[in-house]
Amino acid sequence: FVAPSRFVTVDANRLDLFALASASFTPGRGIVEATTALCTQIFETYTFDPWFTEVSSPLDVVVRERRGVCQDFAHLAVGALRTVGLAARYVSGYIAPRSGDDGPDASAIATHAWMEVCVPELGWVGLDPTHDMAAGLRHVRVAIGRDYADVAPTRGTFMSCLRFLNAPLASRQRTIAAATVGDRPETRVSSGTEAVFKSTPTALTQSSTTASR
């Protein structure tokens, strides 16, 4: 969780990310206080724009245009923390609405993304730069990873039923064996859709849906 990753391109954006972190990591500040200040800085200086980026948008676009969505802001905070040598990871989940919510906050049941920083005395501490708050009891964690690529909900290959049935017998047997082997719980045969789906193993993931605010 310290090295660059697919969507947290630290090397390509090191100067900008380090400058972002340096503004918050001032002498005498602890990790939690400094990371909280970092998230506040992102909240105050970046614009939430659900139409600006997509899943594949590179971090340098977010840094240059200073806008994005929760996924981008989580990547931004993770990248800034990694430039100062801290372990940081991406979290995918959702914010559970309060009981009886019928206002704008009720929409928070949509999937969301935030980040966690590793603090030696405390372990992993979650912070939400999109909402400028600590990740509390209503932040329901579904998956963690180095970045969004580790928790993407749709990765792998899809084979139609017709293509599967027309394949050589040996090929069909290998496909079924791979989809049902006991030490590969991430693979399965989906007969309900009359298709064979074999997922690609992804480290440190659970199923999640596309991140939104």
Side-chain angles (χ1 to χ4, degrees):
F1 296 115
V2 178
S5 51
R6 178 178 173 184
F7 287 115
V8 183
T9 49
V10 172
D11 292 337
N13 299 279
R14 185 171 296 277
L15 292 179
D16 290 319
L17 293 174
F18 183 75
L20 185 65
S22 298
S24 299
F25 281 80
T26 54
R29 264 185 172 172
I31 294 176
V32 175
E33 182 184 1
T35 304
T36 300
L38 170 66
C39 290
T40 297
Q41 184 183 355
I42 294 172
F43 177 79
E44 293 178 346
T45 59
Y46 282 74
T47 301
F48 183 88
D49 186 347
W51 308 111
F52 178 69
T53 58
E54 55 187 22
V55 170
S56 59
S57 296
L59 189 58
D60 61 288
V61 173
V62 178
V63 172
R64 182 178 67 247
E65 301 297 332
R66 305 185 78 81
R67 62 181 57 242
V69 295
C70 60
Q71 172 183 301
D72 303 307
F73 300 154
H75 285 154
L76 189 63
V78 167
L81 291 168
R82 289 178 183 172
T83 65
V84 294
L86 292 173
R89 64 189 184 186
Y90 180 97
V91 184
S92 177
Y94 63 92
I95 301 179
R98 295 185 181 89
S99 178
D101 274 349
D102 56 4
D105 194 53
S107 64
I109 196 63
T111 54
H112 186 51
W114 58 97
M115 51 72 60
E116 292 179 344
V117 59
C118 187
V119 182
E121 304 83 5
L122 302 173
W124 291 100
V125 175
L127 294 164
D128 183 348
T130 303
H131 294 110
D132 190 23
M133 64 189 296
L137 294 177
R138 294 175 59 226
H139 282 71
V140 181
R141 187 171 63 184
V142 175
I144 58 172
R146 294 165 299 174
D147 58 27
Y148 175 78
D150 280 351
V151 302
T154 52
R155 295 183 64 187
T157 57
F158 180 85
M159 182 185 296
S160 69
C161 182
L162 182 61
R163 180 181 172 189
F164 173 70
L165 293 176
N166 287 337
L169 177 59
S171 176
R172 282 183 282 163
Q173 290 174 332
R174 284 195 300 269
T175 301
I176 293 174
T180 56
V181 65
D183 62 350
R184 292 283 298 281
E186 74 280 1
T187 58
R188 63 184 174 87
V189 174
S190 177
S191 56
T193 56
E194 294 186 320
V196 174
F197 177 85
K198 179 183 176 185
S199 69
T200 301
T202 306
L204 301 170
T205 69
Q206 301 172 24
S207 295
S208 64
T209 49
T210 305
S212 60
R213 187 171 187 179

